[in-house]
């Protein structure tokens, strides 16, 4: 039976074992969890190629068995009269009863329907997917998501997107789930019906925690619908593990109480690979005919070095200290977002693919565009904002006066690595389009390096996570204008509103549309508004 979140309760998949008896909510909740069986979380697809597709589902048997065998089939019609490929695969409690299989021998540019069949003859939900084109391609449309924090709101962006019939592919650029316990949310940020497990004050730390959190999210009917509607290419960011993570640790990891970082990192990665329609390859390129190459990147847990620590300069509080940090630690050439292996791979792929495909489209967990806090930022703030929040804005505005970015955790906190990346795109003569999320608000950037255009960036707003407007005592448009005025690379900003983006790729242009939902506090697919921007082939910057 498929499991879904409704307005009053959360029903999760089984396979959690007797340990579920210790979960918050006690034996009654545990019985509900353990009674779930069959295809519990719908279907999904990913890793599309010109002749293949990865299929995902989750099946929990009703009997006490260790493994089950599932059949998968993909057809040219929704009634499965014209089956194009079949396969068989096993799963078990060892992988939380999730299953993935790649079927090949498919036709380029063709729409297929797929499903799984259980050992008892039961059938999963049916999913739909289009295979990537080969040769001449006139148009390709990508739906872009990021930052979907379930307790903060309804996934109305997913619901609106899933109803579309003009999407070839979804791209989720991270923060698909969040690690926090419910007790860490402000009361007015949460929706009571949108509960998640584990316990009220318990973060995801162990493998069982991460699996349980994914089970909560994937029970949401709107998320299930978006997965069933089209393939998804997935990029993790930090909250799939924990906040501001890097190769050797994280801001939100305390070894004294949460154990060894490598154990937590491995658990996060394992659960992600179990629950998401993604291959084991850490990064990958997808060729969309002669139209574009899409790159899935990894910028968190494999090669990222620790973020530069600006704290001492903030504490000293002088322009001299900030300038010394700017000219020293911030410029360290050994700092890396991708690691040397992925940097070399991406530079090589850009050189190879730029002459063959019109656009080089890179999905990234964090924003690349340079962003400093405007000098007048403190004047925007709510009068009742906490002292710590005001101090954060004050420090960031002071840093901005000497050219330091407001976030050290994103690409402009790693300026040498950023320059290497953009120079690689310039050297490849690539028409570069960056697709990013992370900040929760909407931005557009004309990227440059060494005074030369290097490409554009569409940075999407969050599905549900709070944006900067939560802290504003002025109209969000006031803050947006200040951001654009203070940042030469920034072409446009909107500092309010949740939703998603549509990216429309043609041979001569790439257009982006930010779609803002009317609300996330009740279930609704009403749209409050939209904004569109376009980059022309060969221009490598937005032109008003």
């Amino acid at each position: 039976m498929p499991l879904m979140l409704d307005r009053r309760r959360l029903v999760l998949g089984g396979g959690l074992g007797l340990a579920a008896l210790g979960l918050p909510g006690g034996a009654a909740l545990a019985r509900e969890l353990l009674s779930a069986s069959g295809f519990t979380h719908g279907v999904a697809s990913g890793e599309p190629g010109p002749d293949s597709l990865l299929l995902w589902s989750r099946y929990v048997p009703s009997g006490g068995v260790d493994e089950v065998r599932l059949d998968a089939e993909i057809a040219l019609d929704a009634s499965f009269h014209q089956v194009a490929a079949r396969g068989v695969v096993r799963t078990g409690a060892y992988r939380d009863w999730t299953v993935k299989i790649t079927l090949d021998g498919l036709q380029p540019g063709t729409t297929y329907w797929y499903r799984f069949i259980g050992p008892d003859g039961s059938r999963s939900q049916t999913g739909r997917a289009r295979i990537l084109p080969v040769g001449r391609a006139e148009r390709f449309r990508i739906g872009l998501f990021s930052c979907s924090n379930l307790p903060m709101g309804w996934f109305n962006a997913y619901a609106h997107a899933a109803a579309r019939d003009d999407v070839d592919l979804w791209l989720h650029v991270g923060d698909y789930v969040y690690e926090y316990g419910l007790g860490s949310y402000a009361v007015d940020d949460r929706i009571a019906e949108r509960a998640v497990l584990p316990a009220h004050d318990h973060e995801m730390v162990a493998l069982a925690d991460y699996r349980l959190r994914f089970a909560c999210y994937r029970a949401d009917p709107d998320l299930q619908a978006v997965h069933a509607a089209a393939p998804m290419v997935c990029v993790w960011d930090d909250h799939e593990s924990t906040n501001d993570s890097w190769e050797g640790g994280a801001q939100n990891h305390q070894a004294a109480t949460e154990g060894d970082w490598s154990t937590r990192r491995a658990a996060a990665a394992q659960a992600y690979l179990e629950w998401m329609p993604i291959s084991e390859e850490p990064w990958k390129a997808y060729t969309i005919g002669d139209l574009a190459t899409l790159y899935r990147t990894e910028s968190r847990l494999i090669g990222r070095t620790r973020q530069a620590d600006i704290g001492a300069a903030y504490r000293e509080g002088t322009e001299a200290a900030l300038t010394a940090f700017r000219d020293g630690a911030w410029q360290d050439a050994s700092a890396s977002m991708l690691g040397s292996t992925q940097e070399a791979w991406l530079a090589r792929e850009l050189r190879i693919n730029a002459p063959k495909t019109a656009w080089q489209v890179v999905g990234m967990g964090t924003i690349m565009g340079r962003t400093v806090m405007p000098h007048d930022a403190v004047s925007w703030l709510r009068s009742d904002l906490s002292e710590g929040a005001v101090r954060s804005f004050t420090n960031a505005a002071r840093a901005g006066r000497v050219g330091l970015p407001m976030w050290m955790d994103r690409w402009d906190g790693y300026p040498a690595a950023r320059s290497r990346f953009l120079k690689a795109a310039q050297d490849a003569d690539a028409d570069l389009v960056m697709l990013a999320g992370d900040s929760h608000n909407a931005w557009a950037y004309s990227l440059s390096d060494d005074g030369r255009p290097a490409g554009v960036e569409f940075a999407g707003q969050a599905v549900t996570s709070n944006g900067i407007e939560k802290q504003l005592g002025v109209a969000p448009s006031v803050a947006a204008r200040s951001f654009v005025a203070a940042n030469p690379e920034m072409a446009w900003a909107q500092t309010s509103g949740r939703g998603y983006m549509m990216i429309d790729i043609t041979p001569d242009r790439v257009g982006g549309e930010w779609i803002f939902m009317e609300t996330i506090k009740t279930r609704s697919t009403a749209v409050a508004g939209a904004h569109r921007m376009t980059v022309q082939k060969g221009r490598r910057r937005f032109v008003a």
Side-chain angles (χ1 to χ4, degrees):
M1 80 185 163
L3 301 173
M4 294 185 178
L5 283 168
D6 63 25
R7 291 179 181 271
R8 294 295 170 193
R9 67 192 184 100
L10 177 66
V11 184
L12 302 178
L16 298 173
L18 294 177
L21 293 170
L23 290 170
L29 176 58
R31 282 193 298 271
E32 196 168 23
L33 291 167
L34 294 171
S35 68
S37 62
F39 291 101
T40 62
H41 284 82
V43 295
S45 66
E47 304 297 355
D51 60 357
S52 64
L53 187 70
L54 182 149
L55 309 179
W56 179 98
S57 191
R58 184 172 188 263
Y59 181 88
V60 181
S62 56
V65 298
D66 295 329
E67 287 185 329
V68 292
R69 169 182 147 151
L70 303 176
D71 294 304
E73 55 186 13
I74 190 165
L76 288 164
D77 62 311
S79 58
F80 290 85
H81 292 143
Q82 303 177 68
V83 174
R86 290 187 172 92
V88 61
V89 64
R90 307 179 185 179
T91 187
Y94 56 86
R95 57 171 299 114
D96 206 14
W97 300 104
T98 63
V99 60
K100 290 191 286 192
I101 184 173
T102 297
L103 297 183
D104 60 9
L106 307 177
Q107 294 301 309
T110 301
T111 298
Y112 288 93
W113 286 260
Y114 63 91
R115 67 186 180 188
F116 289 86
I117 302 170
D120 58 355
S122 62
R123 292 170 178 170
S124 71
Q125 175 187 6
T126 296
R128 183 183 64 199
R130 182 181 295 275
I131 305 306
L132 296 185
V134 169
R136 184 67 177 168
E138 295 296 337
R139 193 176 193 186
F140 196 84
R141 291 176 64 84
I142 298 173
L144 179 66
F145 304 110
S146 68
C147 306
S148 40
N149 195 326
L150 187 147
M152 283 189 166
W154 296 97
F155 288 162
N156 294 334
Y158 289 149
H160 187 272
R164 305 182 71 113
D165 61 3
D166 61 348
V167 179
D168 296 292
L169 182 71
W170 309 120
L171 175 64
H172 202 297
V173 289
D175 299 342
Y176 181 99
V177 299
Y178 279 73
E179 82 276 22
Y180 302 120
L182 286 175
S184 67
Y185 293 89
V187 173
D188 64 344
D189 283 342
R190 277 198 54 214
I191 294 177
E193 300 94 334
R194 302 283 280 175
V196 291
L197 295 174
H200 183 72
D201 293 316
H202 186 71
E203 287 182 16
M204 302 188 298
V205 176
L207 178 58
D209 302 333
Y210 286 98
R211 285 173 165 175
L212 187 55
R213 189 62 55 86
F214 270 101
C216 291
Y217 275 68
R218 293 296 296 275
D220 182 274
D222 298 321
L223 182 50
Q224 288 187 16
V226 89
H227 273 297
M232 182 178 285
V233 169
C234 316
V235 175
W236 66 37
D237 195 28
D238 53 342
H239 290 291
E240 288 87 350
S241 53
T242 193
N243 187 58
D244 287 2
S245 51
W246 57 285
E247 181 183 14
Q251 175 274 330
N252 194 27
H253 180 78
Q254 294 74 44
T257 57
E258 294 172 324
D260 182 70
W261 167 247
S262 63
T263 301
R264 185 178 189 180
R265 182 180 67 171
Q270 179 175 334
Y272 187 90
L273 292 172
E274 289 171 348
W275 278 88
M276 300 298 285
I278 190 172
S279 71
E280 302 288 324
E281 301 153 284
W283 45 79
K284 191 171 181 177
Y286 308 84
T287 303
I288 304 169
D290 65 353
L291 187 59
T293 303
L294 173 66
Y295 301 89
R296 169 166 64 81
T297 61
E298 195 292 318
S299 59
R300 274 293 169 191
L301 301 180
I302 296 177
R304 181 195 273 250
T305 57
R306 191 200 306 262
Q307 299 87 343
D309 185 3
I310 196 173
Y314 280 159
R315 287 189 294 273
E316 186 169 331
T318 65
E319 184 172 315
L322 289 166
T323 301
F325 174 81
R326 180 197 66 194
D327 297 340
W330 183 58
Q331 299 284 353
D332 188 350
S334 70
S336 178
M337 289 279 279
L338 303 177
S340 60
T341 301
Q342 188 180 182
E343 276 193 23
W345 168 81
L346 190 51
R348 182 174 63 251
E349 289 291 309
L350 290 171
R351 289 195 304 271
I352 293 170
N353 295 322
K356 300 177 183 177
T357 56
W359 301 94
Q360 307 306 302
V361 182
V362 181
M364 192 67 68
T366 54
I367 293 171
M368 183 162 286
R370 291 194 186 278
T371 313
V372 302
M373 183 69 79
H375 65 85
D376 61 342
V378 177
S379 68
W380 312 333
L381 303 180
R382 287 177 14 219
S383 60
D384 62 343
L385 208 59
S386 71
E387 182 180 338
V390 172
R391 185 185 311 113
S392 177
F393 274 83
T394 302
N395 283 336
R398 185 180 295 122
R401 291 190 182 96
V402 300
L404 286 167
M406 55 188 284
W407 292 299
M408 288 295 159
D409 186 58
R410 36 184 261 183
W411 273 95
D412 56 358
Y414 296 71
R418 179 187 188 272
S419 181
R420 291 194 297 268
F421 180 99
L422 294 178
K423 188 175 187 303
Q426 291 171 332
D427 290 347
D429 196 23
D431 280 279
L432 177 69
V433 176
M434 301 295 300
L435 303 180
D438 183 60
S439 79
H440 307 172
N441 288 119
W443 319 85
Y445 298 86
S446 293
L447 305 171
S448 64
D449 186 68
D450 196 25
R452 295 184 295 137
V456 300
E457 182 167 46
F458 296 93
Q461 72 276 41
V463 171
T464 58
S465 298
N466 281 335
I468 196 172
E469 70 271 21
K470 174 78 175 177
Q471 298 164 305
L472 299 181
V474 299
S477 58
V478 173
R481 285 195 298 270
S482 286
F483 269 111
V484 172
N487 290 281
E489 286 192 346
M490 191 179 293
W492 172 81
Q494 182 160 323
T495 55
S496 64
R498 310 283 77 81
Y500 71 106
M501 285 197 72
M502 284 300 302
I503 306 297
D504 188 7
I505 307 172
T506 67
D508 61 350
R509 63 166 184 81
V510 174
E513 181 181 28
W514 290 262
I515 299 161
F516 296 93
M517 308 309 297
E518 193 171 273
T519 182
I520 61 170
K521 297 307 181 184
T522 59
R523 293 195 76 180
S524 169
T525 55
V527 172
H531 181 79
R532 297 172 181 85
M533 294 191 72
T534 299
V535 60
Q536 300 293 329
K537 176 71 175 167
R539 296 300 297 270
R540 298 172 192 175
R541 62 191 305 270
F542 291 116
V543 178

